Amino acid sequence: MKHGSSIESLGVYIPNRVLSTEDLEGRLKLSRPLRLELLTGIKERRECESGEDSLTLGEAAALDCLSSSKFDSNDIEMIIYSAITRYVGGLKHLYEPAVSILLKERLGCENAICFDLTNACAGMLSAFHVASDFIERGMVENCLVVSGEYITSLAHNAIEHIKTPDSPQIASLTLGDAGGAAILSRCMPEEGIASSKFVTLADYSELCMAYLSPTQTGGIMETRMKEIHEASIIHAPEVMEEALSEAGLSLDQIDFLIPHQTSKQAIRSGKKYFTKYFGKMASNVVINLSEFGNTASTSHALALHKLLGEGRVKRGDRIMLLSFASGLVIGAMIFVINDLADKYGSNY
Amino acid sequence: MGAIIKACSVSTDETGTSYLSSAASAVKNCLEQLSPVKKGVGLLINTGVYPDRHIHEPAIASLIQGVLQKSFRAILKGTFSFDLHSGGGGVVMALSIINGFIESGKIDYGVVVAGDSVPFDGTAGALMIGRGQSDEGFKIFSQDTYTHYSSDFRSYSNYSGNAVELFINQDHEYLNHCLQCVKKSVRRFLLDSALSDGEIDLIIPSQSPEGFASALADLYDKERVVVSNGEHKCYSAEVIVAIADAQSGEIFRNSRKVLFINVGPGIIVDLALYLNPF
């Protein structure tokens, strides 16, 4: 029998330390101001304090997620760690073992199989896509997907490299640290995730590259912003159409469209393009950048968690999570809000 | 319906350092062996652990796809690529994902590619998986983790003041622990699968840690365990290199029940039973 899969619980962790855009921009040596806050809508982001790293961010988000779940840690059957960053013990990039193994040990999920899945900012939603297949085939009953993005080292490292407003490292200044976690679990076939479509448009695979800095602690990232943004919005409608078609919906039947959170300007220009393309639009397009910035693979979890916490989404609402990531990965996942709506109070 | 191995290829980078170029070459060989493919490759999963230049982003799989995109545009049109990290043992888990997507009808073909840059020699292995008959292909997957040995092996990179350095810490008991864990997992796997040890015709294991495959051959039956000749200084691609070694002789095609064993830091043991099409 084919099962359905749904998001049963959601958790986040946001570090306490605030890093404002004004502070970051003040450290740049440019002849004229960048006006980053105006362009991106990012007023501030959070960053890790001493003792925090990708693992601890992920662990804290997973504990938050478990606290709202019907499942105990012992009930978890699969763990997928899905972040870009794998910093454990400061800015040490852990290659082995898998971070999911360390999470399994720390969380006491004794019965879980585990692996790490990396797919740039699409990591968490890619993990949802893979986990859903395991759940729908009846191989596991649930899966805990966890991301811990300790990614602000890219912003700090970019400061000394940015000499002009069109520097390829400008996008690094938008990044913020956060942990996100979700439990996907079995449900009736007609409930939960209605469709999930992902594709990699590899002609654009080199438009955004990040790696360990050869001259600084942590990472650096170089992005051809204009090109990757244009490619993303031009190709997204095809993926969205496939997902909508499989779900038997049109775009105006989507209550909340949550795109990957990069910048306010990029999201608004995408919205304009999609409205023209489809001749209609989702009721709400979510922008959640002001306090957190671009938190990479955790951005959808943060945005959805905030919507739930504010009580803005209700049972039966249709959500589309729209993923854009280096690769170029485009993904669209549509699901209907169920019990999730009842689990979260006014957290924001 | 079972998902079967349609093609297997191993490639070595001439410079002995770049995994990306050898990975693209290995995948290209698989695609060419199938060409012309009427249906595209739905999933491309990279399970390499140590990438070129410590790249974090994008997924190495998408960079591999990027190298091949122009030559195989039709085949790679709807491909979804990502990286899977499971220490040295990601190949079998990637096969499990591809097998599932084929079973559920979401894709027709999937490719898993593995290999590592420095400190290894860039050797890459690729496997193309596609739909087979009901009495053949991958049948049972299983994973056990032994987290009490999670500190046995740690590797990480860090900026040391003038360069990015790779640090590897391996406990002197790591090999023994891997053997103990694999023995326990195989025993349980056979029991759960209602199979006896004697029914397995061929065992294709990870080759590392150093000495693991030969120790496994001593434990079971030397004739049934593939021990690679050490020609390649590779790591995550070992299982695929071992498949290629076995396929180059009679042993693979004469074996009906094949057991794949992936072991890696964690300690994590992934097993798969494969019914070889005759």
PDB file of all heavy atoms in Angstrom, chain B residues 144-178:
ATOM      1  N   ASP B 144      23.054  -0.558   9.794  1.00  0.00           N
ATOM      2  CA  ASP B 144      23.257  -0.539  11.244  1.00  0.00           C
ATOM      3  C   ASP B 144      24.297   0.522  11.563  1.00  0.00           C
ATOM      4  O   ASP B 144      25.274   0.681  10.825  1.00  0.00           O
ATOM      5  CB  ASP B 144      23.786  -1.891  11.748  1.00  0.00           C
ATOM      6  CG  ASP B 144      22.745  -2.991  11.638  1.00  0.00           C
ATOM      7  OD1 ASP B 144      21.591  -2.760  12.021  1.00  0.00           O
ATOM      8  OD2 ASP B 144      23.093  -4.086  11.133  1.00  0.00           O
ATOM      9  N   THR B 145      24.061   1.240  12.651  1.00  0.00           N
ATOM     10  CA  THR B 145      25.094   2.187  13.093  1.00  0.00           C
ATOM     11  C   THR B 145      25.532   1.812  14.507  1.00  0.00           C
ATOM     12  O   THR B 145      24.715   1.384  15.320  1.00  0.00           O
ATOM     13  CB  THR B 145      24.572   3.636  13.096  1.00  0.00           C
ATOM     14  OG1 THR B 145      23.348   3.680  13.803  1.00  0.00           O
ATOM     15  CG2 THR B 145      24.360   4.148  11.681  1.00  0.00           C
ATOM     16  N   TYR B 146      26.809   1.968  14.745  1.00  0.00           N
ATOM     17  CA  TYR B 146      27.406   1.616  16.034  1.00  0.00           C
ATOM     18  C   TYR B 146      28.041   2.881  16.600  1.00  0.00           C
ATOM     19  O   TYR B 146      29.245   3.099  16.497  1.00  0.00           O
ATOM     20  CB  TYR B 146      28.426   0.497  15.840  1.00  0.00           C
ATOM     21  CG  TYR B 146      27.810  -0.760  15.264  1.00  0.00           C
ATOM     22  CD1 TYR B 146      27.683  -0.945  13.885  1.00  0.00           C
ATOM     23  CD2 TYR B 146      27.332  -1.763  16.100  1.00  0.00           C
ATOM     24  CE1 TYR B 146      27.101  -2.084  13.356  1.00  0.00           C
ATOM     25  CE2 TYR B 146      26.749  -2.914  15.583  1.00  0.00           C
ATOM     26  CZ  TYR B 146      26.632  -3.068  14.210  1.00  0.00           C
ATOM     27  OH  TYR B 146      26.054  -4.208  13.679  1.00  0.00           O
ATOM     28  N   THR B 147      27.173   3.744  17.166  1.00  0.00           N
ATOM     29  CA  THR B 147      27.640   5.085  17.526  1.00  0.00           C
ATOM     30  C   THR B 147      28.636   5.085  18.685  1.00  0.00           C
ATOM     31  O   THR B 147      29.324   6.078  18.888  1.00  0.00           O
ATOM     32  CB  THR B 147      26.440   5.999  17.880  1.00  0.00           C
ATOM     33  OG1 THR B 147      25.650   5.345  18.862  1.00  0.00           O
ATOM     34  CG2 THR B 147      25.599   6.295  16.652  1.00  0.00           C
ATOM     35  N   HIS B 148      28.717   3.977  19.434  1.00  0.00           N
ATOM     36  CA  HIS B 148      29.729   3.948  20.503  1.00  0.00           C
ATOM     37  C   HIS B 148      31.143   3.956  19.917  1.00  0.00           C
ATOM     38  O   HIS B 148      32.111   4.155  20.629  1.00  0.00           O
ATOM     39  CB  HIS B 148      29.513   2.772  21.457  1.00  0.00           C
ATOM     40  CG  HIS B 148      29.230   1.462  20.788  1.00  0.00           C
ATOM     41  ND1 HIS B 148      28.030   1.188  20.162  1.00  0.00           N
ATOM     42  CD2 HIS B 148      29.986   0.358  20.631  1.00  0.00           C
ATOM     43  CE1 HIS B 148      28.058  -0.046  19.665  1.00  0.00           C
ATOM     44  NE2 HIS B 148      29.241  -0.561  19.930  1.00  0.00           N
ATOM     45  N   TYR B 149      31.248   3.740  18.607  1.00  0.00           N
ATOM     46  CA  TYR B 149      32.557   3.845  17.957  1.00  0.00           C
ATOM     47  C   TYR B 149      32.653   5.114  17.107  1.00  0.00           C
ATOM     48  O   TYR B 149      33.493   5.204  16.210  1.00  0.00           O
ATOM     49  CB  TYR B 149      32.795   2.627  17.050  1.00  0.00           C
ATOM     50  CG  TYR B 149      32.883   1.310  17.789  1.00  0.00           C
ATOM     51  CD1 TYR B 149      32.183   0.185  17.336  1.00  0.00           C
ATOM     52  CD2 TYR B 149      33.670   1.170  18.925  1.00  0.00           C
ATOM     53  CE1 TYR B 149      32.254  -1.035  18.003  1.00  0.00           C
ATOM     54  CE2 TYR B 149      33.743  -0.048  19.607  1.00  0.00           C
ATOM     55  CZ  TYR B 149      33.026  -1.130  19.140  1.00  0.00           C
ATOM     56  OH  TYR B 149      33.103  -2.334  19.802  1.00  0.00           O
ATOM     57  N   SER B 150      31.798   6.083  17.385  1.00  0.00           N
ATOM     58  CA  SER B 150      31.767   7.272  16.506  1.00  0.00           C
ATOM     59  C   SER B 150      33.052   8.084  16.557  1.00  0.00           C
ATOM     60  O   SER B 150      33.368   8.822  15.629  1.00  0.00           O
ATOM     61  CB  SER B 150      30.564   8.162  16.850  1.00  0.00           C
ATOM     62  OG  SER B 150      30.728   8.722  18.129  1.00  0.00           O
ATOM     63  N   SER B 151      33.803   7.951  17.645  1.00  0.00           N
ATOM     64  CA  SER B 151      35.055   8.714  17.726  1.00  0.00           C
ATOM     65  C   SER B 151      36.256   7.933  17.196  1.00  0.00           C
ATOM     66  O   SER B 151      37.385   8.423  17.227  1.00  0.00           O
ATOM     67  CB  SER B 151      35.307   9.174  19.167  1.00  0.00           C
ATOM     68  OG  SER B 151      35.361   8.050  20.004  1.00  0.00           O
ATOM     69  N   ASP B 152      36.013   6.733  16.689  1.00  0.00           N
ATOM     70  CA  ASP B 152      37.123   5.913  16.162  1.00  0.00           C
ATOM     71  C   ASP B 152      37.820   6.584  14.978  1.00  0.00           C
ATOM     72  O   ASP B 152      39.011   6.378  14.757  1.00  0.00           O
ATOM     73  CB  ASP B 152      36.590   4.556  15.666  1.00  0.00           C
ATOM     74  CG  ASP B 152      36.660   3.492  16.738  1.00  0.00           C
ATOM     75  OD1 ASP B 152      36.786   3.858  17.922  1.00  0.00           O
ATOM     76  OD2 ASP B 152      36.594   2.285  16.390  1.00  0.00           O
ATOM     77  N   PHE B 153      37.042   7.311  14.190  1.00  0.00           N
ATOM     78  CA  PHE B 153      37.612   7.920  12.993  1.00  0.00           C
ATOM     79  C   PHE B 153      37.010   9.309  12.830  1.00  0.00           C
ATOM     80  O   PHE B 153      35.800   9.450  12.755  1.00  0.00           O
ATOM     81  CB  PHE B 153      37.308   7.061  11.756  1.00  0.00           C
ATOM     82  CG  PHE B 153      38.015   7.504  10.506  1.00  0.00           C
ATOM     83  CD1 PHE B 153      39.119   6.811  10.027  1.00  0.00           C
ATOM     84  CD2 PHE B 153      37.587   8.626   9.796  1.00  0.00           C
ATOM     85  CE1 PHE B 153      39.785   7.217   8.882  1.00  0.00           C
ATOM     86  CE2 PHE B 153      38.246   9.041   8.656  1.00  0.00           C
ATOM     87  CZ  PHE B 153      39.344   8.340   8.192  1.00  0.00           C
ATOM     88  N   ARG B 154      37.875  10.312  12.808  1.00  0.00           N
ATOM     89  CA  ARG B 154      37.416  11.688  12.580  1.00  0.00           C
ATOM     90  C   ARG B 154      38.325  12.319  11.535  1.00  0.00           C
ATOM     91  O   ARG B 154      39.554  12.204  11.626  1.00  0.00           O
ATOM     92  CB  ARG B 154      37.517  12.533  13.856  1.00  0.00           C
ATOM     93  CG  ARG B 154      36.534  12.144  14.950  1.00  0.00           C
ATOM     94  CD  ARG B 154      35.163  12.771  14.704  1.00  0.00           C
ATOM     95  NE  ARG B 154      34.172  12.089  15.534  1.00  0.00           N
ATOM     96  CZ  ARG B 154      33.543  12.640  16.558  1.00  0.00           C
ATOM     97  NH1 ARG B 154      33.791  13.880  16.884  1.00  0.00           N
ATOM     98  NH2 ARG B 154      32.648  11.953  17.256  1.00  0.00           N
ATOM     99  N   SER B 155      37.728  12.963  10.569  1.00  0.00           N
ATOM    100  CA  SER B 155      38.544  13.738   9.638  1.00  0.00           C
ATOM    101  C   SER B 155      37.898  15.094   9.441  1.00  0.00           C
ATOM    102  O   SER B 155      36.667  15.198   9.365  1.00  0.00           O
ATOM    103  CB  SER B 155      38.698  13.012   8.303  1.00  0.00           C
ATOM    104  OG  SER B 155      37.490  12.985   7.606  1.00  0.00           O
ATOM    105  N   TYR B 156      38.718  16.123   9.404  1.00  0.00           N
ATOM    106  CA  TYR B 156      38.187  17.470   9.214  1.00  0.00           C
ATOM    107  C   TYR B 156      39.244  18.353   8.581  1.00  0.00           C
ATOM    108  O   TYR B 156      40.441  18.045   8.611  1.00  0.00           O
ATOM    109  CB  TYR B 156      37.716  18.073  10.545  1.00  0.00           C
ATOM    110  CG  TYR B 156      38.806  18.250  11.575  1.00  0.00           C
ATOM    111  CD1 TYR B 156      39.544  19.442  11.654  1.00  0.00           C
ATOM    112  CD2 TYR B 156      39.113  17.229  12.468  1.00  0.00           C
ATOM    113  CE1 TYR B 156      40.544  19.594  12.600  1.00  0.00           C
ATOM    114  CE2 TYR B 156      40.117  17.375  13.412  1.00  0.00           C
ATOM    115  CZ  TYR B 156      40.832  18.565  13.478  1.00  0.00           C
ATOM    116  OH  TYR B 156      41.836  18.714  14.399  1.00  0.00           O
ATOM    117  N   SER B 157      38.768  19.432   7.995  1.00  0.00           N
ATOM    118  CA  SER B 157      39.671  20.418   7.413  1.00  0.00           C
ATOM    119  C   SER B 157      39.551  21.720   8.172  1.00  0.00           C
ATOM    120  O   SER B 157      38.483  22.077   8.657  1.00  0.00           O
ATOM    121  CB  SER B 157      39.338  20.663   5.945  1.00  0.00           C
ATOM    122  OG  SER B 157      39.921  19.665   5.168  1.00  0.00           O
ATOM    123  N   ASN B 158      40.662  22.422   8.238  1.00  0.00           N
ATOM    124  CA  ASN B 158      40.702  23.672   8.983  1.00  0.00           C
ATOM    125  C   ASN B 158      41.810  24.539   8.420  1.00  0.00           C
ATOM    126  O   ASN B 158      42.810  24.017   7.933  1.00  0.00           O
ATOM    127  CB  ASN B 158      40.988  23.332  10.457  1.00  0.00           C
ATOM    128  CG  ASN B 158      40.674  24.476  11.379  1.00  0.00           C
ATOM    129  OD1 ASN B 158      39.953  25.390  11.008  1.00  0.00           O
ATOM    130  ND2 ASN B 158      41.206  24.412  12.584  1.00  0.00           N
ATOM    131  N   TYR B 159      41.623  25.845   8.481  1.00  0.00           N
ATOM    132  CA  TYR B 159      42.685  26.763   8.057  1.00  0.00           C
ATOM    133  C   TYR B 159      43.717  26.817   9.178  1.00  0.00           C
ATOM    134  O   TYR B 159      43.388  27.132  10.319  1.00  0.00           O
ATOM    135  CB  TYR B 159      42.098  28.144   7.780  1.00  0.00           C
ATOM    136  CG  TYR B 159      43.123  29.160   7.385  1.00  0.00           C
ATOM    137  CD1 TYR B 159      43.814  29.033   6.180  1.00  0.00           C
ATOM    138  CD2 TYR B 159      43.416  30.250   8.200  1.00  0.00           C
ATOM    139  CE1 TYR B 159      44.763  29.967   5.807  1.00  0.00           C
ATOM    140  CE2 TYR B 159      44.363  31.190   7.832  1.00  0.00           C
ATOM    141  CZ  TYR B 159      45.027  31.038   6.636  1.00  0.00           C
ATOM    142  OH  TYR B 159      45.980  31.960   6.263  1.00  0.00           O
ATOM    143  N   SER B 160      44.952  26.496   8.843  1.00  0.00           N
ATOM    144  CA  SER B 160      45.947  26.343   9.903  1.00  0.00           C
ATOM    145  C   SER B 160      46.865  27.556  10.057  1.00  0.00           C
ATOM    146  O   SER B 160      47.818  27.510  10.789  1.00  0.00           O
ATOM    147  CB  SER B 160      46.798  25.113   9.613  1.00  0.00           C
ATOM    148  OG  SER B 160      47.535  25.338   8.422  1.00  0.00           O
ATOM    149  N   GLY B 161      46.563  28.642   9.347  1.00  0.00           N
ATOM    150  CA  GLY B 161      47.425  29.825   9.458  1.00  0.00           C
ATOM    151  C   GLY B 161      48.042  30.198   8.132  1.00  0.00           C
ATOM    152  O   GLY B 161      48.264  31.370   7.863  1.00  0.00           O
ATOM    153  N   ASN B 162      48.314  29.194   7.291  1.00  0.00           N
ATOM    154  CA  ASN B 162      48.804  29.535   5.949  1.00  0.00           C
ATOM    155  C   ASN B 162      48.195  28.675   4.849  1.00  0.00           C
ATOM    156  O   ASN B 162      48.483  28.892   3.677  1.00  0.00           O
ATOM    157  CB  ASN B 162      50.335  29.472   5.882  1.00  0.00           C
ATOM    158  CG  ASN B 162      50.866  28.162   6.424  1.00  0.00           C
ATOM    159  OD1 ASN B 162      50.098  27.220   6.579  1.00  0.00           O
ATOM    160  ND2 ASN B 162      52.150  28.101   6.714  1.00  0.00           N
ATOM    161  N   ALA B 163      47.371  27.715   5.210  1.00  0.00           N
ATOM    162  CA  ALA B 163      46.707  26.881   4.198  1.00  0.00           C
ATOM    163  C   ALA B 163      45.596  26.084   4.867  1.00  0.00           C
ATOM    164  O   ALA B 163      45.542  26.003   6.099  1.00  0.00           O
ATOM    165  CB  ALA B 163      47.705  25.921   3.566  1.00  0.00           C
ATOM    166  N   VAL B 164      44.726  25.504   4.028  1.00  0.00           N
ATOM    167  CA  VAL B 164      43.715  24.593   4.572  1.00  0.00           C
ATOM    168  C   VAL B 164      44.358  23.221   4.700  1.00  0.00           C
ATOM    169  O   VAL B 164      44.937  22.705   3.743  1.00  0.00           O
ATOM    170  CB  VAL B 164      42.485  24.504   3.642  1.00  0.00           C
ATOM    171  CG1 VAL B 164      41.493  23.477   4.169  1.00  0.00           C
ATOM    172  CG2 VAL B 164      41.808  25.862   3.528  1.00  0.00           C
ATOM    173  N   GLU B 165      44.299  22.667   5.886  1.00  0.00           N
ATOM    174  CA  GLU B 165      44.907  21.344   6.091  1.00  0.00           C
ATOM    175  C   GLU B 165      43.830  20.328   6.436  1.00  0.00           C
ATOM    176  O   GLU B 165      42.811  20.662   7.038  1.00  0.00           O
ATOM    177  CB  GLU B 165      45.939  21.407   7.208  1.00  0.00           C
ATOM    178  CG  GLU B 165      47.199  22.164   6.800  1.00  0.00           C
ATOM    179  CD  GLU B 165      48.286  22.048   7.854  1.00  0.00           C
ATOM    180  OE1 GLU B 165      48.393  20.982   8.499  1.00  0.00           O
ATOM    181  OE2 GLU B 165      48.995  23.045   8.038  1.00  0.00           O
ATOM    182  N   LEU B 166      44.102  19.088   6.052  1.00  0.00           N
ATOM    183  CA  LEU B 166      43.189  17.987   6.369  1.00  0.00           C
ATOM    184  C   LEU B 166      43.773  17.187   7.534  1.00  0.00           C
ATOM    185  O   LEU B 166      44.951  16.808   7.509  1.00  0.00           O
ATOM    186  CB  LEU B 166      43.037  17.073   5.143  1.00  0.00           C
ATOM    187  CG  LEU B 166      42.169  15.829   5.318  1.00  0.00           C
ATOM    188  CD1 LEU B 166      40.703  16.199   5.546  1.00  0.00           C
ATOM    189  CD2 LEU B 166      42.290  14.923   4.085  1.00  0.00           C
ATOM    190  N   PHE B 167      42.981  16.974   8.537  1.00  0.00           N
ATOM    191  CA  PHE B 167      43.427  16.221   9.713  1.00  0.00           C
ATOM    192  C   PHE B 167      42.621  14.920   9.795  1.00  0.00           C
ATOM    193  O   PHE B 167      41.390  14.949   9.685  1.00  0.00           O
ATOM    194  CB  PHE B 167      43.197  17.032  10.989  1.00  0.00           C
ATOM    195  CG  PHE B 167      43.945  18.334  11.012  1.00  0.00           C
ATOM    196  CD1 PHE B 167      43.385  19.487  10.473  1.00  0.00           C
ATOM    197  CD2 PHE B 167      45.222  18.407  11.559  1.00  0.00           C
ATOM    198  CE1 PHE B 167      44.073  20.690  10.481  1.00  0.00           C
ATOM    199  CE2 PHE B 167      45.925  19.607  11.579  1.00  0.00           C
ATOM    200  CZ  PHE B 167      45.355  20.745  11.031  1.00  0.00           C
ATOM    201  N   ILE B 168      43.313  13.820   9.966  1.00  0.00           N
ATOM    202  CA  ILE B 168      42.640  12.519  10.100  1.00  0.00           C
ATOM    203  C   ILE B 168      43.122  11.840  11.371  1.00  0.00           C
ATOM    204  O   ILE B 168      44.325  11.654  11.563  1.00  0.00           O
ATOM    205  CB  ILE B 168      42.925  11.610   8.876  1.00  0.00           C
ATOM    206  CG1 ILE B 168      42.355  12.257   7.597  1.00  0.00           C
ATOM    207  CG2 ILE B 168      42.327  10.220   9.085  1.00  0.00           C
ATOM    208  CD1 ILE B 168      42.646  11.490   6.317  1.00  0.00           C
ATOM    209  N   ASN B 169      42.179  11.509  12.225  1.00  0.00           N
ATOM    210  CA  ASN B 169      42.506  10.786  13.458  1.00  0.00           C
ATOM    211  C   ASN B 169      41.828   9.428  13.426  1.00  0.00           C
ATOM    212  O   ASN B 169      40.599   9.359  13.374  1.00  0.00           O
ATOM    213  CB  ASN B 169      42.015  11.545  14.691  1.00  0.00           C
ATOM    214  CG  ASN B 169      42.651  12.918  14.808  1.00  0.00           C
ATOM    215  OD1 ASN B 169      43.844  13.062  14.590  1.00  0.00           O
ATOM    216  ND2 ASN B 169      41.850  13.914  15.123  1.00  0.00           N
ATOM    217  N   GLN B 170      42.623   8.370  13.430  1.00  0.00           N
ATOM    218  CA  GLN B 170      42.058   7.021  13.386  1.00  0.00           C
ATOM    219  C   GLN B 170      42.521   6.215  14.590  1.00  0.00           C
ATOM    220  O   GLN B 170      43.729   6.089  14.835  1.00  0.00           O
ATOM    221  CB  GLN B 170      42.489   6.319  12.084  1.00  0.00           C
ATOM    222  CG  GLN B 170      41.888   4.931  11.935  1.00  0.00           C
ATOM    223  CD  GLN B 170      42.232   4.276  10.605  1.00  0.00           C
ATOM    224  OE1 GLN B 170      42.246   4.932   9.575  1.00  0.00           O
ATOM    225  NE2 GLN B 170      42.512   2.982  10.639  1.00  0.00           N
ATOM    226  N   ASP B 171      41.578   5.692  15.336  1.00  0.00           N
ATOM    227  CA  ASP B 171      41.892   4.859  16.497  1.00  0.00           C
ATOM    228  C   ASP B 171      42.571   3.577  16.029  1.00  0.00           C
ATOM    229  O   ASP B 171      42.217   3.030  14.970  1.00  0.00           O
ATOM    230  CB  ASP B 171      40.590   4.526  17.232  1.00  0.00           C
ATOM    231  CG  ASP B 171      40.825   3.862  18.567  1.00  0.00           C
ATOM    232  OD1 ASP B 171      41.129   2.641  18.577  1.00  0.00           O
ATOM    233  OD2 ASP B 171      40.703   4.561  19.586  1.00  0.00           O
ATOM    234  N   HIS B 172      43.526   3.085  16.790  1.00  0.00           N
ATOM    235  CA  HIS B 172      44.244   1.877  16.362  1.00  0.00           C
ATOM    236  C   HIS B 172      43.344   0.638  16.349  1.00  0.00           C
ATOM    237  O   HIS B 172      43.674  -0.370  15.739  1.00  0.00           O
ATOM    238  CB  HIS B 172      45.504   1.652  17.223  1.00  0.00           C
ATOM    239  CG  HIS B 172      45.212   1.277  18.636  1.00  0.00           C
ATOM    240  ND1 HIS B 172      44.787   2.205  19.573  1.00  0.00           N
ATOM    241  CD2 HIS B 172      45.266   0.085  19.269  1.00  0.00           C
ATOM    242  CE1 HIS B 172      44.599   1.583  20.722  1.00  0.00           C
ATOM    243  NE2 HIS B 172      44.876   0.305  20.567  1.00  0.00           N
ATOM    244  N   GLU B 173      42.208   0.726  17.007  1.00  0.00           N
ATOM    245  CA  GLU B 173      41.279  -0.413  17.027  1.00  0.00           C
ATOM    246  C   GLU B 173      40.189  -0.304  15.945  1.00  0.00           C
ATOM    247  O   GLU B 173      39.279  -1.136  15.881  1.00  0.00           O
ATOM    248  CB  GLU B 173      40.603  -0.505  18.401  1.00  0.00           C
ATOM    249  CG  GLU B 173      41.484  -1.117  19.486  1.00  0.00           C
ATOM    250  CD  GLU B 173      41.827  -2.577  19.198  1.00  0.00           C
ATOM    251  OE1 GLU B 173      40.953  -3.332  18.735  1.00  0.00           O
ATOM    252  OE2 GLU B 173      42.999  -2.963  19.419  1.00  0.00           O
ATOM    253  N   TYR B 174      40.271   0.731  15.129  1.00  0.00           N
ATOM    254  CA  TYR B 174      39.187   0.997  14.166  1.00  0.00           C
ATOM    255  C   TYR B 174      38.921  -0.196  13.244  1.00  0.00           C
ATOM    256  O   TYR B 174      37.773  -0.606  13.038  1.00  0.00           O
ATOM    257  CB  TYR B 174      39.522   2.250  13.353  1.00  0.00           C
ATOM    258  CG  TYR B 174      38.497   2.616  12.304  1.00  0.00           C
ATOM    259  CD1 TYR B 174      37.147   2.777  12.618  1.00  0.00           C
ATOM    260  CD2 TYR B 174      38.877   2.815  10.971  1.00  0.00           C
ATOM    261  CE1 TYR B 174      36.214   3.117  11.650  1.00  0.00           C
ATOM    262  CE2 TYR B 174      37.946   3.165   9.997  1.00  0.00           C
ATOM    263  CZ  TYR B 174      36.618   3.302  10.338  1.00  0.00           C
ATOM    264  OH  TYR B 174      35.695   3.631   9.386  1.00  0.00           O
ATOM    265  N   LEU B 175      39.993  -0.795  12.713  1.00  0.00           N
ATOM    266  CA  LEU B 175      39.820  -1.947  11.815  1.00  0.00           C
ATOM    267  C   LEU B 175      39.087  -3.092  12.528  1.00  0.00           C
ATOM    268  O   LEU B 175      38.138  -3.670  11.987  1.00  0.00           O
ATOM    269  CB  LEU B 175      41.186  -2.426  11.290  1.00  0.00           C
ATOM    270  CG  LEU B 175      41.203  -3.763  10.539  1.00  0.00           C
ATOM    271  CD1 LEU B 175      40.339  -3.703   9.286  1.00  0.00           C
ATOM    272  CD2 LEU B 175      42.641  -4.150  10.159  1.00  0.00           C
ATOM    273  N   ASN B 176      39.536  -3.396  13.739  1.00  0.00           N
ATOM    274  CA  ASN B 176      38.890  -4.491  14.485  1.00  0.00           C
ATOM    275  C   ASN B 176      37.418  -4.185  14.751  1.00  0.00           C
ATOM    276  O   ASN B 176      36.565  -5.075  14.651  1.00  0.00           O
ATOM    277  CB  ASN B 176      39.601  -4.727  15.827  1.00  0.00           C
ATOM    278  CG  ASN B 176      40.903  -5.463  15.621  1.00  0.00           C
ATOM    279  OD1 ASN B 176      41.062  -6.178  14.624  1.00  0.00           O
ATOM    280  ND2 ASN B 176      41.840  -5.269  16.532  1.00  0.00           N
ATOM    281  N   HIS B 177      37.161  -2.937  15.106  1.00  0.00           N
ATOM    282  CA  HIS B 177      35.764  -2.557  15.375  1.00  0.00           C
ATOM    283  C   HIS B 177      34.910  -2.679  14.103  1.00  0.00           C
ATOM    284  O   HIS B 177      33.775  -3.138  14.165  1.00  0.00           O
ATOM    285  CB  HIS B 177      35.703  -1.132  15.931  1.00  0.00           C
ATOM    286  CG  HIS B 177      36.287  -1.007  17.299  1.00  0.00           C
ATOM    287  ND1 HIS B 177      36.720   0.191  17.823  1.00  0.00           N
ATOM    288  CD2 HIS B 177      36.539  -1.945  18.264  1.00  0.00           C
ATOM    289  CE1 HIS B 177      37.179  -0.010  19.046  1.00  0.00           C
ATOM    290  NE2 HIS B 177      37.086  -1.298  19.339  1.00  0.00           N
ATOM    291  N   CYS B 178      35.489  -2.272  12.961  1.00  0.00           N
ATOM    292  CA  CYS B 178      34.748  -2.403  11.694  1.00  0.00           C
ATOM    293  C   CYS B 178      34.418  -3.881  11.436  1.00  0.00           C
ATOM    294  O   CYS B 178      33.288  -4.217  11.051  1.00  0.00           O
ATOM    295  CB  CYS B 178      35.579  -1.864  10.527  1.00  0.00           C
ATOM    296  SG  CYS B 178      35.605  -0.064  10.449  1.00  0.00           S
TER     297      CYS B 178
END
